[in-house]
């Protein structure tokens, strides 16, 4: 689950990381009032679940409250990476002497939280990683001991020659590591970690992604979810109890079981297609789940064919078949449907589908090839 910058800033603040004060607003008038209260120069920042807001024109400095309101009227309603901006953050503008990057991710390679820093901050860290990987410094933290003081200071000295600033950065890293654990983050980034001309070290931007598996035991973090900021298809899928990830291909996939769903996507690629989504309808699929799945997939205009791949075990083929038939009675399915179905209640399923005018295959390769051909036609 993604947090907004304003939510991430508040969590970091609570863990003792220096973050400038801020307020959130959703109208230009509110922005003007906040800017008046803060006094002086302010920064107005789009609150969307996307990076690179600065480059997209979603971060603007303003000298006066009126200028702040004018920026807000342009930023509110703007689209950044396909997401509409509904709120802006207003904070006192900080005079920046340097911009660094500090981030923690869960690293599969080392199976540890990985602390990464770079003195080349401010910009996209992915660009730094691609063009000048030597400018990124990493320490895999042993979770038994946490971030050790010499590790933090070592990384701090990669950012700043000034020892006092390196110590401040090390302190921030220790707090960021603690914050990650406390909130169940799979990623936490400060970019930029800025220095000011008078020597302060401040977090001017914060990004936190929460591991969804941590939400059940952290209701206060789960409550930070902003469904209005998420892709509508993903919200609908979550509400329907489906595991769904939107992708950018043309073959809509509807599969039971995460492993089979992954294998299906691999096979779609193998036969020259591209999956439009990952979708696991789960183990015990009642027809309603299948209807919801089809509603979500058919709403995506880039889907050119739909592939069902059902290997019935606990999932009963007749439930899935009934779901498909019910869906066609509720809304039009305008793209070809290729159904591969085998296992529990296969015969009943085929009878239901045949009666409704569908045909079903039992061979997975055959079905995937056919769906790819239809999507590419
Ligand atoms: P992002 O582009 O989505 O990562 O948004 P950021 O919050 O990181 O802002 C982008 C850039 O705007 C930063 O790298 C800074 O250069 C600039 N910026 C953000 N806040 C301030 C500020 O308070 N003062 C100044 N001078 N620049 C700022
Ligand atoms: Mn940033």
């Amino acid at each position: 689950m993604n947090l907004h910058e304003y939510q991430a800033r508040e969590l970091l603040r609570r863990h003792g990381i220096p973050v400038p004060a801020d307020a959130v607003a959703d109208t230009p008038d509110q922005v003007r009032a906040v800017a008046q209260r803060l006094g002086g120069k302010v920064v107005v920042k789009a609150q969307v679940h996307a990076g690179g807001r600065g480059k997209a024109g979603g971060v603007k400095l303003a000298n006066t409250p009126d200028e702040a309101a004018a920026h807000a009227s342009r930023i509110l309603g703007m689209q950044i990476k396909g997401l509409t901006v509904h709120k802006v953050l207003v904070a006192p503008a900080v005079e920046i002497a340097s911009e660094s990057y500090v981030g923690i991710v869960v690293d599969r390679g080392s199976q540890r939280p990985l602390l990464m820093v770079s003195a080349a901050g401010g910009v996209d860290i992915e660009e730094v990683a691609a063009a000048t990987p030597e400018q990124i410094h990493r320490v895999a933290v042993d979770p038994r001991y946490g971030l050790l003081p010499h590790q933090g200071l070592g990384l701090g000295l990669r950012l700043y020659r000034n020892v006092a600033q390196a110590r401040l950065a090390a302190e921030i890293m220790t707090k960021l590591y603690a914050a990650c654990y406390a909130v169940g983050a799979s990623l936490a980034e400060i970019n930029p970690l800025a220095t000011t001309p008078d020597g302060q070290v401040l977090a001017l931007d914060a990004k936190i992604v929460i591991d969804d598996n941590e939400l059940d035991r952290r209701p206060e973090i789960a409550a930070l979810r902003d469904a209005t900021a998420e892709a509508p298809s993903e919200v609908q899928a979550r509400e329907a109890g489906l595991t769904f990830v939107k992708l950018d291909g043309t073959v809509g996939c509807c599969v039971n079981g995460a492993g089979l769903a992954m294998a299906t996507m691999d096979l779609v690629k193998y036969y020259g297609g591209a999956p439009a989504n990952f979708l696991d309808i789960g183990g015990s699929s009642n027809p309603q789940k299948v209807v919801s799945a089809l509603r979500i997939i058919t709403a995506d205009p880039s889907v050119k064919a739909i592939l069902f791949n059902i290997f019935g075990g606990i999932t009963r083929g007749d439930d899935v078949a009934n779901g498909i038939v019910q869906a066609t009675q509720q809304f039009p399915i305008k793209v070809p449907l290729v159904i591969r179905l085998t296992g529990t209640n296969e015969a009943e399923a085929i009878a239901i589908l045949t009666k409704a005018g569908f045909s079903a295959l039992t061979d997975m390769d055959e079905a995937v090839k056919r769906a790819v051909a239809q999507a590419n036609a």
Side-chain angles (χ1 to χ4, degrees):
M1 179 181 90
N2 284 308
L3 298 185
H4 283 298
E5 177 193 359
Y6 73 90
Q7 298 169 321
R9 284 167 81 114
E10 180 54 27
L11 292 175
L12 296 190
R13 220 176 258 132
R14 273 192 233 155
H15 282 87
I17 294 176
V19 183
D22 58 55
V24 181
D26 50 22
T27 65
D29 284 340
Q30 286 178 9
V31 169
R32 185 183 292 106
V34 173
Q36 248 148 12
R37 177 161 59 75
L38 291 174
K41 231 174 150 178
V42 297
V43 59
V44 181
K45 310 176 75 178
Q47 298 297 287
V48 278
H49 295 159
R53 295 164 301 164
K55 268 192 218 156
V59 177
K60 294 279 183 205
L61 294 169
N63 288 306
T64 64
D66 281 338
E67 201 186 332
H71 286 318
S73 62
R74 244 165 286 133
I75 294 173
L76 288 163
M78 171 191 257
Q79 295 256 328
I80 299 179
K81 296 185 182 162
L83 298 165
T84 306
V85 181
H86 300 294
K87 291 183 206 138
V88 293
L89 176 144
V90 188
V94 170
E95 205 183 323
I96 297 178
S98 75
E99 300 190 57
S100 303
Y101 170 94
V102 174
I104 298 178
V105 289
V106 176
D107 175 48
R108 288 165 181 239
S110 57
Q111 302 185 350
R112 290 179 175 190
L114 186 71
L115 185 57
M116 293 184 289
V117 306
S118 177
V123 289
D124 273 350
I125 198 66
E126 289 79 5
E127 280 172 27
V128 179
T132 50
E134 70 282 358
Q135 291 202 50
I136 300 179
H137 304 281
R138 301 175 171 83
V139 167
V141 179
D142 186 328
R144 289 173 296 182
Y145 313 122
L147 181 67
L148 298 172
H150 75 275
Q151 295 174 318
L153 189 58
L155 289 175
L157 288 165
R158 296 285 194 176
L159 300 181
Y160 309 121
R161 287 196 193 165
N162 179 308
V163 176
Q165 285 183 329
R167 286 213 174 94
L168 291 173
E171 227 174 89
I172 289 171
M173 290 177 215
T174 303
K175 289 170 177 168
L176 186 65
Y177 183 81
C180 262
Y181 261 81
V183 305
S186 57
L187 177 145
E189 281 182 346
I190 300 173
N191 187 26
L193 180 71
T195 58
T196 60
D198 62 355
Q200 298 177 68
V201 180
L202 302 171
L204 293 195
D205 184 16
K207 172 172 173 157
I208 294 180
V209 180
I210 307 291
D211 180 340
D212 288 342
N213 297 311
E214 298 276 355
L215 292 172
D216 279 345
R217 54 180 174 174
R218 290 183 175 81
E220 74 292 354
I221 300 291
L224 298 177
R225 185 185 292 282
D226 177 4
T228 64
E230 298 178 333
S233 56
E234 295 192 357
V235 177
Q236 280 171 23
R238 195 176 52 251
E239 283 164 1
L242 304 164
T243 311
F244 177 90
V245 180
K246 171 89 188 81
L247 300 168
D248 51 17
T250 56
V251 181
C253 298
C254 192
V255 188
N256 68 311
L260 187 60
M262 297 296 277
T264 306
M265 298 194 316
D266 282 349
L267 214 54
V268 167
K269 281 260 178 191
Y270 180 77
Y271 286 121
N277 63 276
F278 168 95
L279 194 157
D280 172 12
I281 58 173
S284 60
S285 296
N286 63 29
Q288 194 43 50
K289 271 196 175 179
V290 176
V291 175
S292 306
L294 274 171
R295 198 185 290 281
I296 293 163
I297 294 175
T298 52
D300 179 350
S302 52
V303 169
K304 302 295 177 228
I306 298 172
L307 170 65
F308 267 82
N309 189 9
I310 304 298
F311 190 85
I314 297 169
T315 300
R316 295 167 24 162
D318 53 334
D319 281 343
V320 175
N322 279 323
I324 294 172
V325 175
Q326 284 173 26
T328 58
Q329 289 159 355
Q330 293 179 29
F331 48 88
I333 298 177
K334 292 180 185 139
V335 295
L337 201 58
V338 179
I339 305 164
R340 183 263 180 154
L341 193 152
T342 182
T344 308
N345 292 1
E346 178 182 322
E348 291 87 331
I350 293 187
I352 294 164
L353 290 171
T354 311
K355 196 167 157 237
F358 292 103
S359 59
L361 301 163
T362 51
D363 185 74
M364 176 156 154
D365 282 80
E366 197 48 46
V368 173
K369 277 193 229 168
R370 204 173 286 185
V372 169
Q374 304 260 33
N376 292 345

